């Protein structure tokens, strides 16, 4: 019996065109990950791909772990087949291109205009509190009696974080290899939490400028160690945070909100090491404008995200 003709596959051009949105999405996430205060997780929420990325990351980690532990190859392949490679691969490529091309100009801005840079990031971080706060509010809308307790948890975590950041930071002009690995793991872990920026985590521990400089100068040894830490974070921290967000969403978001709120100490525009200073007379207009601009950018992204996820 003659079989029916098989429909022809899409032409290669159409296939490549399907990758362009993911490439652009990756570039946007890579750009915001360079800016302390704008979370890659937040941007993934705005773009509507957050849950797909977390699901794909979990399947990829499980698949690789099965292969490394020499478990069932069939189980590993089953997990790897669940990864949306058409989304993940071009998105990662877009992120890498954005990081490599924009790290230099951003490092120059942070190095030459530290007060304006901190003011811009300060505004972005404050506004990014809207993301976890709105998620907590949505998750606890049916339990209004818990609002006071939630606020108390956030303030307690924020206070501890504020005091911790008052401790003199370690000198990290030439960080050791293990510091690079831990920093990479922490930065990737922060990518999972909406509202918490990986770059901001690096900034609070004094690793932001060294990492920007390494990327802009193509320091391959530094990048390799940082990348190894990022992979370690993907295998461990991301899985843990994904589990916590799935099983203990509200407590996890409350702690993240407190960490963000308390960590703004590191971004106060006028400071000397760990001492917070008052602005000099007549020198506050520029930083205030930068802070307002930072707030406006994040609020705009937040509103776009709410509109994109609004039921039709």
């Amino acid at each position: 019996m003659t079989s029916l003709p098989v429909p022809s596959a899409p032409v290669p051009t159409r296939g490549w065109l399907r990758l362009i949105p993911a490439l652009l999405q990756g570039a946007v996430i890579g750009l915001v990950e360079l800016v302390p205060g704008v979370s890659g997780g937040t941007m993934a929420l705005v773009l509507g791909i957050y849950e797909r990325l977390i699901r794909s990351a979990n399947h990829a980690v499980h698949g690789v772990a099965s292969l490394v532990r020499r478990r069932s190859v069939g189980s590993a392949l089953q997990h790897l087949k669940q990864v949306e490679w058409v989304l993940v691969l071009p998105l990662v490529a877009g992120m890498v291109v954005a990081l490599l091309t924009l790290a230099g100009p951003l490092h120059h801005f942070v190095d030459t205009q530290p007060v304006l840079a901190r003011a811009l990031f300060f505004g972005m971080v404050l506004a990014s509190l809207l993301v976890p706060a709105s998620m907590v509010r949505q998750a606890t809308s049916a339990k209004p009696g818990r609002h006071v307790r939630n606020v108390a948890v956030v303030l307690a975590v924020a206070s501890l974080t504020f005091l911790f950041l008052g401790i003199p930071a370690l000198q990290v002009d030439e960080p050791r290899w293990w510091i690079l690995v831990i920093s990479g793991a922490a930065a990737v872990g922060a990518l999972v939490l909406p509202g918490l920026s990986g770059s901001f985590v690096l900034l609070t521990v004094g690793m932001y400028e060294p990492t920007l400089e390494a990327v802009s100068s193509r320091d391959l040894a530094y990048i390799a160690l940082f990348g190894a830490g990022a992979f370690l974070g993907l295998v461990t921290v991301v899985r843990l945070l994904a589990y916590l967000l799935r099983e203990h969403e509200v407590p996890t978001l409350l702690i993240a909100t407190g960490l963000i709120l308390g960590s703004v100490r590191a971004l106060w525009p006028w400071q000397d090491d760990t001492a917070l200073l008052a602005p000099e007379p007549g020198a506050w207009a520029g930083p205030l404008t930068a802070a307002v601009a930072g707030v406006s950018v994040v609020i705009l992204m937040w509103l776009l995200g709410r509109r994109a996820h609004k039921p039709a």
Side-chain angles (χ1 to χ4, degrees):
M1 183 170 61
T2 305
S3 59
L4 294 175
V6 178
S8 58
V11 295
T13 304
R14 290 185 59 189
W16 281 107
L17 289 177
R18 291 176 57 195
L19 303 180
I20 293 178
L23 282 167
L24 295 177
Q25 289 169 339
V28 172
I29 293 176
L31 171 61
V32 301
E33 270 301 300
L34 285 172
V35 179
V38 184
S39 164
T42 300
M43 181 52 63
L45 276 173
V46 170
L47 296 173
I49 58 175
Y50 179 76
E51 293 184 5
R52 294 167 61 194
L53 285 177
I54 296 300
R55 187 164 53 246
S56 291
N58 274 330
H59 282 299
V61 168
H62 280 294
V64 173
S66 296
L67 291 175
V68 171
R69 296 173 185 173
R70 298 181 180 179
R71 293 183 177 177
S72 170
V73 176
S75 175
L77 293 177
Q78 188 63 31
H79 278 293
L80 294 176
K81 287 179 181 178
Q82 298 298 318
V83 178
E84 293 189 56
W85 296 110
V86 176
L87 169 69
V88 173
L89 292 180
L91 188 137
V92 170
M95 287 182 64
V96 171
V97 170
L99 290 171
L100 292 178
T101 55
L102 299 175
L106 189 58
H107 177 256
H108 177 75
F109 172 61
V110 172
D111 191 44
T112 58
Q113 301 291 337
V115 174
L116 284 179
R118 282 196 296 264
L120 176 67
F121 301 155
F122 184 87
M124 288 182 164
V125 169
L126 282 182
S128 70
L129 287 168
L130 284 170
V131 178
S134 63
M135 293 176 72
V136 169
R137 182 178 179 182
Q138 182 178 2
T140 59
S141 58
K143 304 172 184 176
R146 297 187 178 183
H147 292 338
V148 174
R149 188 192 67 177
N150 292 345
V151 171
V153 171
V154 170
L155 292 179
V157 175
S159 299
L160 291 174
T161 305
F162 188 89
L163 293 174
F164 175 77
L165 290 178
I167 301 174
L170 296 174
Q171 178 58 255
V172 290
D173 290 336
E174 296 182 2
R176 297 187 178 183
W177 68 269
W178 56 270
I179 295 179
L180 298 181
V181 173
I182 293 176
S183 299
V188 170
L191 179 64
V192 178
L193 280 174
L196 186 59
S197 163
S199 292
F200 182 58
V201 171
L202 295 179
L203 186 65
T204 58
V205 297
M207 289 295 296
Y208 179 66
E209 291 193 46
T211 302
L212 266 187
E213 183 177 2
V215 174
S216 62
S217 62
R218 308 295 190 269
D219 186 339
L220 298 182
Y222 187 113
I223 294 173
L225 288 170
F226 192 89
F231 178 77
L232 177 64
L234 183 66
V235 174
T236 57
V237 180
V238 168
R239 289 180 65 183
L240 174 62
L241 290 177
Y243 166 78
L244 291 174
L245 283 172
R246 185 176 65 252
E247 301 295 335
H248 307 283
E249 180 184 21
V250 173
T252 303
L253 290 172
L254 289 175
I255 292 174
T257 305
L259 288 172
I260 297 169
L261 180 60
S263 296
V264 294
R265 173 173 185 154
L267 293 175
W268 180 249
W270 303 275
Q271 55 180 276
D272 181 13
D273 294 330
T274 58
L276 304 182
L277 308 176
E280 298 180 5
W284 53 267
L288 178 61
T289 302
V292 171
V295 169
S296 302
V297 168
V298 175
I299 289 180
L300 177 61
M301 291 194 303
W302 180 68
L303 292 175
L304 289 174
R306 286 172 61 89
R307 182 177 180 181
H309 291 82
K310 197 173 184 179

